[in-house]
Amino acid sequence: MDFGFKLSPSSAVNLDTVDRRRYDRLVQLEPDALTCIGCGSCSATCTAAPWSGMSVRKVILGLQRGRDDEVDAMLSRCMLCGKCTMVCPRGINTRHLILTLCRLDKNGEAVR
Amino acid sequence: MIYQGKQKIWADYQKEIPDDHWFYVRSCIRQNFFPASEKYFLKICRDLLGRDIYESEHHTTCAGIAYHCDTIPQETAMTVVARQFALMTEAGYDNLVTSCITSFGNYTEILETWREFPELEEKIREHLWKACRREFNKPKYIAHASDLVYKLRGEIAERARYQLVSRATGEPLRIVEHIGCHYSKMFPHKGVGGAEYPCVLSGMAEAWGGQVIDYPERRHCCGFGFRQYFVKANRGYSLSNTHKKFESMEPYHPDMIITNCPGCPYFLDRWQYVIAEMEGKTYGQNGYGIPAFTYEELAGLVLGVDPWDLGLQVHQVAVEPLLDKIGIPYDPAKKYLGMDEKKIKTPGLPATLKCC
Amino acid sequence: MRERFITHFDPFVIPFLVGMAFVLGYCLVAMVRVIAELPKADRKRFLGSLFTPKYIWMNVRDIFLNCLIHVKLWKRNKVLGFMHSSIAFGWFMIIVLGHLEVMLFVPERIRLFYYPIFFNYFVAETEQTIQGSLLMFLMDFFLLLILSGIAIAIIKRFASRIVGMRRTTRLSLLDRVGLYSLWAIFPLRLLAESFTAHISGGSFLTIPTNWVFRQFLGNDLYALPTWWAYSVALCVFMCVLPFTRYMHIPAEMLLIPMRNAGIRIRHPRKGFATLEVYSCPGCGVCIDACPMTVRKANCKDCTVYLNRQLRRGNERRIEEIADKCLLCGKCTAVCQVGAQGPELRVAQRERRKYALSPSYAGINVRPMARAVAAGAGGESGGVLYFAGCMTHLTPSIRRATASLLDKAGVRWQMMDPDGGLCCGRPLMMAGRTEQARELIAKNLEIIRASGCDTLLLSCPICYRIFKEEYPLDGIRVVHHSVFFQELIAAGQLSIQRDGEAKFVWHDPCELGRGCGIYEQPRQALAAAGELVEAGRHHAESICCGGSLGSLTLSFDQRRPMVRNALDNLTVADPSEIVTGCPLCLSTFVRDADRPVRDIAEVLDSRC
Amino acid sequence: MVNRTPVIAVIGAGIAGLEAARQLAALGYEPVLIEKAPVAGGHVAEWNRLFPDMTPASEVIRPLLEQTSGIRTCLDTEIASINRLKDGFNLVLSDGSSLICQAVLFATGFHLFDASKKEEYGYGIYDRVITNRDLEQWFNTRHDPRVDHPKAVGFVHCVGSRDIKAGNAQCSKVCCITAIKQAIEIKEEFPDAEVYCFYMDLRLFGKKYEDFYIKAQRDYGIHFIRGRVSEVGEAIDGRVVVKAEDTLSGKPVRVTLDLLVLMAGIVCNPDAQHYAREIGATVDEDGFLKSRNNLAAITESSRPGVFFAGACTGAKTVPETLAEARSAALAIHQYLSKRG
């Protein structure tokens, strides 16, 4: 029956059920990703940010929160210019982190 | 769950509720949704327990709905409330008991505001005088009707004909208590048991033999939310909140829900039908829903009032399985008979949610 | 000379023949395969070049100079140059002279493959002739030359520092077999020829040795076994050759003509790439040259090991090595066969499969194009300055560049005043060429809209890709250091010399080795103060360590490289380090003990 | 100099009191330690290991106790009243005795915030909710049925700190680093457990603290979620359901945990306020004792002869407390020397 309104999906992140396979694999390959402090330097300097809202900070966080679609959308404009790597105060190799992430499929497996 | 821990908190949040002599103000909407609730509250208090509760036909809305919908400013709401106080003062009462949770919250909020800003109170007095030449004393005590029933729960239990237990097994019924948001979330000390673990309804449930269940989304809003429900575009949001609560309470297999707010039982009752239509999901046993009651209906039930006199036939969710479980007799044939014993219309049965 | 055996044959030549047949067969198949794997256009081009006189001459010259004389190595290290050329050229001469001997004395045997090799066994000297003596002298001379080379090789193997190498490659098992058999070939030949020298004749080396042996042994019993040993050593060497680094000997002979024909790596594992890999002699010169090897842990990440792992097909290591490299190009600069380490690595990176590939097609650059068109005000010509991502992180460069342009009265505007798109070079370095092409298309749209005639870059990373990959016909692409040098030379900028200042110029990899720009920045700097050189400079300058080329090096791992590069820059104790790359600048600034500035800043401060 | 050795009453035998007493004795005075609890050592003695080097707390406490063993220590003793004398104070103790002293040192320390006041976290109501102190007890005794091989553990920072509604607007300074320490310890104990830290800000100001944090992130994979826990509920299996906002992603998060540790903050000790009022010293707005000067004279009260050391003036770390205790001893020494 059409009531003219619908159940809206919850925007809450349920950490019990969130699919973190891609994140888990990423931190296995790039343990430095764990040390992100969410300062946002990477987002502030990002060349691609105007076109996709790219932010390495949000990418790392989004993966932990199971927001893979948002992550992929952000990654879709990354130009690998390396500015984020230069400004990261924790010395995270963000550029390689992005490359590594682009190689992982939804299940966190590297495509061959 | 450490029950003693809750008791400790309850001990900190006991409010003073005078035993007698109350000025009663009704809810705007309850008489439509749950027509017998207010009537039976008065009946039980006055006739059964012998309390003095006065009601004036001149009282109006407290303007809480309009205030919460941002359609009137607070000062207007305050003046409306001041008029109720004036009616109470004129009738010679000091204690105000409200039927509606939002009214309770509204009155409390206004009194607290006046306490902080006495100049505002003066201004409102002037407004009231200009508007209708009335003067008022502030009530000494404000209680919600559920506070009063909580206070009288022992006396009701003594006179109860039924216990909230399963007749077949003797097990206490599993009861979800849902407190209206405006009851104590704004002023925890104004609610019995505070805001986090209120005991106003759980106290009744336990006194009448039931067992309260503590599910994760216990504190969550029923989903009414004036602005969410009234605007159709936002109505899905309202529904989603209710859905969230049902999903959370589902594993506990509750037998019933009791509430102390006008909107909550309505939404917790009617949305079960909508969810069943949308999702094909029902939350009660055997395809039925979980019946949602007002505390007055519950008090009426345990005291042996005929379910149809309590207006349970206007509930969306069928109450019959629960009545059977407790062992309360009812006559199915009389379900849709009006006051004059003539048949009122029988509603059509929904497709998914099982009803009687 | 007379022949000693009617059969003209002895079984000991069989091992040699087997080895020879194997190696020739193997090389032939390999050659055909490499040529077949080339893309069609490349193949056509290569085969065509083989019949073009210009290329024929180039090929012969290069093969002679590089494969036999090892000219590049001579320039780099005299001892190593001598070692390699003595063995290669000596061996070559022995083969040539062997054939000459056969042609001279027993011309009818020239068709016997083994005859020139084992000539001394099959003949007996009947009379001494001048030509004979000369030939024998030359044979002994070149044998001695080779032996001296072998001696150095043995010393090098056990004490590489003596020959000026800090580090040398670690050999695989087969390489060892090849090496030891190579070492054995020539002493065995000396022994074999010496044992028969009283019969076949000899010269200053073999005759005295023969005399010594005869004094001690008194008979010829050892002659045949030694010839056997010689043949067997040759056989072993030739049989393992395809599986050892010595494969570079035949491979290089194909590599040189191909490179002369302009063939480039198109596939990471096929065609030219295979040839490059097999052309690596594994000498390990790249190990010392590589900026990463200041960390001992990175020694195995040099090009020589990439080639080795590519031959072995060790995918895990290939990926590791391919991704770690800074792509500074120094290995190519020092390599005697000119192995293109960076290109080979980028080719490996290109091969990667991705689950997610970015796309820039949806980016709307029209507002930016409109902005530059408006900036040009309808006039064509003028300078379009593209700061690029990295310069946006070093605003001092951008400001100094703008200031100099204004001072010189140049009509200019910025292409990316509020940040723009990336130039695409970092994507290319990461092997994402297709994506880079999309960015190129987007940037072109903006450049074209500006109507400029000069595209000015203050970042060598951008400069290189704009120069190499952007179809910008009619628009001059210029690095700011060159542009300012020209303005100084033309008198449009007058620079006041600072008597106190002592500058050292750091050649950024992309600018120097990448684009061959070394002198203009130096000339410009010399106008501003005294110029000193770094320990290693020009084509051998050391990467700052911050390069975008490396995908995997972490910040911590780069740090020793940065320090090493700084140490190299400060050997002449300059008062200031000057570079022309924002990335080098940011990298150096963190660790330098003295001021580091961009050339634009230096010039602007003295202008 | 007075005829007999000056007596100094040191109120509180935590690390501040012990250290100050030790120093005063070394300076030739007669300190008297008055401690309400039956044992000396204060809060530190209840702790298992200390940040950021995982030093056993006993390594701090034991030498202090050994070196103060000769000092008169009144355990299980409260102060009934304090009277000001002409050149000193008369303290009437709960055992009825009276102590005449020339100076009084408040080393009264702090109280750990009563976590049950944050009702929404359900301490004392839910089985799986404990405090930082409870966890230290567990580290000490390995006995607490609430800590039972948890698979998911949460730490709530700032429980009763930076919280006006909880009556304490101040930062408790040590909870962030304590949470990280305890999270690491939990992870060491239960390597398979997912550990979440819910924080508002991470205030890791001290030497090595940041390294400790990086270690927690990289080596132990502890999840840091920037957002205050809003409410805790109980799931049907008795585990706790924690709700917060992940402010960095702007989304609500919920997680079901086997154990929730509340980082109860440092609040003032009401006894100290009471004694201070009695002696005429000032109590600051935050409830802690008010120094004469927060920069230059932190150990001195506005009253002559009354001194402060340690957390009675505000949240402090162990090294800060010890340094302040030494400083207070010197201040007392100067005060008494000047008086002659």
Side-chain angles (χ1 to χ4, degrees), chain B residues 86-340:
Chain B
L87 293 176
M88 176 193 77
T89 311
E90 286 160 19
Y93 285 84
D94 290 330
N95 310 328
L96 186 87
V97 61
T98 73
S99 167
C100 169
I101 281 290
T102 294
S103 295
F104 176 71
N106 195 30
Y107 289 126
T108 310
E109 185 182 342
I110 287 169
L111 288 175
E112 289 295 308
T113 310
W114 288 350
R115 194 166 62 79
E116 293 278 341
F117 306 99
E119 68 280 4
L120 193 58
E121 184 188 334
E122 285 312 309
K123 199 172 158 189
I124 300 300
R125 283 182 188 279
E126 278 174 36
H127 285 337
L128 185 67
W129 180 254
K130 280 181 194 157
C132 54
R133 305 280 168 217
R134 285 183 198 270
E135 286 179 297
F136 67 92
N137 295 331
K138 284 189 283 183
K140 279 203 182 115
Y141 296 98
I142 286 197
H144 183 253
S146 62
D147 290 340
L148 210 51
V149 176
Y150 171 79
K151 170 114 181 165
L152 304 172
R153 68 192 187 283
E155 294 180 45
I156 292 170
E158 283 166 20
R159 292 160 174 79
R161 283 181 56 192
Y162 303 102
Q163 288 262 305
L164 298 177
V165 296
S166 159
R167 189 176 57 170
T169 64
E171 296 267 312
L173 298 183
R174 286 181 300 279
I175 300 172
V176 159
E177 45 100 36
H178 176 82
I179 308 287
C181 292
H182 294 161
Y183 176 67
S184 59
K185 281 180 187 166
M186 295 188 284
F187 301 97
H189 282 275
K190 304 291 178 191
V192 179
E196 298 293 335
Y197 313 95
C199 65
V200 59
L201 293 180
S202 61
M204 294 178 207
E206 282 168 9
W208 303 337
Q211 179 200 7
V212 172
I213 58 173
D214 218 328
Y215 60 108
E217 297 295 352
R218 171 176 54 84
R219 302 167 171 110
H220 203 79
C221 171
C222 68
F224 189 158
F226 297 105
R227 279 189 277 195
Q228 276 68 40
Y229 178 70
F230 290 149
V231 181
K232 191 174 176 184
N234 296 343
R235 212 162 284 165
Y237 181 76
S238 171
L239 177 69
S240 302
N241 275 284
T242 316
H243 179 252
K244 186 175 181 175
K245 280 189 83 75
F246 278 113
E247 288 293 316
S248 177
M249 71 176 78
E250 186 190 14
Y252 296 80
H253 305 301
D255 293 307
M256 64 195 298
I257 300 169
I258 58 167
T259 64
N260 67 346
C261 172
C264 308
Y266 186 70
F267 279 75
L268 293 173
D269 182 58
R270 306 300 200 270
W271 280 148
Q272 289 193 59
Y273 155 70
V274 176
I275 293 169
E277 290 294 324
M278 282 185 180
E279 302 275 290
K281 186 160 185 187
T282 52
Y283 293 95
Q285 301 273 305
N286 310 320
Y288 287 97
I290 306 168
F293 297 95
T294 68
Y295 55 95
E296 296 105 322
E297 287 171 345
L298 191 67
L301 278 181
V302 298
L303 287 169
V305 180
D306 182 85
W308 309 142
D309 287 347
L310 279 171
L312 300 189
Q313 58 273 61
V314 304
H315 286 212
Q316 175 66 62
V317 175
V319 296
E320 285 90 336
L322 179 74
L323 299 178
D324 291 339
K325 191 165 185 179
I326 306 175
I328 297 176
Y330 58 94
D331 181 356
K334 289 188 172 171
K335 184 167 181 182
Y336 296 111
L337 291 187
M339 301 273 276
D340 52 1

Side-chain angles (χ1 to χ4, degrees), chain C residues 469-491:
Chain C
E469 306 288 344
Y470 279 66
L472 282 169
D473 306 320
I475 297 174
R476 184 185 178 213
V477 178
V478 61
H479 185 249
H480 73 331
S481 64
V482 176
F483 194 66
F484 293 138
Q485 189 272 327
E486 289 169 359
L487 289 177
I488 294 167

Side-chain angles (χ1 to χ4, degrees), chain A residues 11-16 20 23-24 31-32 34-38 57-58 61-62 64-65 67 70 90, chain D residues 194 196 198-199 210 213-214 217-219 221 223-225 246 248-249 251-257:
Chain A
S11 67
V13 176
N14 188 341
L15 294 177
D16 302 336
R20 274 199 296 230
Y23 175 75
D24 289 342
D32 280 356
L34 288 165
T35 65
C36 175
I37 46 174
R57 168 184 87 75
K58 285 190 193 161
L61 194 66
Q64 291 178 67
R65 306 287 182 259
R67 306 204 160 251
E70 289 171 24
R90 278 279 167 97
Chain D
E194 294 285 348
Y196 303 90
F198 295 91
Y199 67 96
E210 190 72 12
Y213 172 36
I214 295 176
Q217 287 181 306
R218 186 165 42 205
D219 303 344
H223 305 282
F224 287 87
I225 298 174
D246 173 25
L248 292 179
S249 67
K251 298 283 189 304
V253 286
R254 51 174 291 153
V255 60
T256 311
L257 302 172

Side-chain angles (χ1 to χ4, degrees), chain C residues 377-399:
Chain C
E379 285 182 70
S380 65
V383 171
L384 186 65
Y385 171 37
F386 180 68
C389 305
M390 288 301 155
T391 307
H392 279 291
L393 274 183
T394 48
S396 56
I397 300 180
R398 180 180 156 180
R399 201 179 48 205

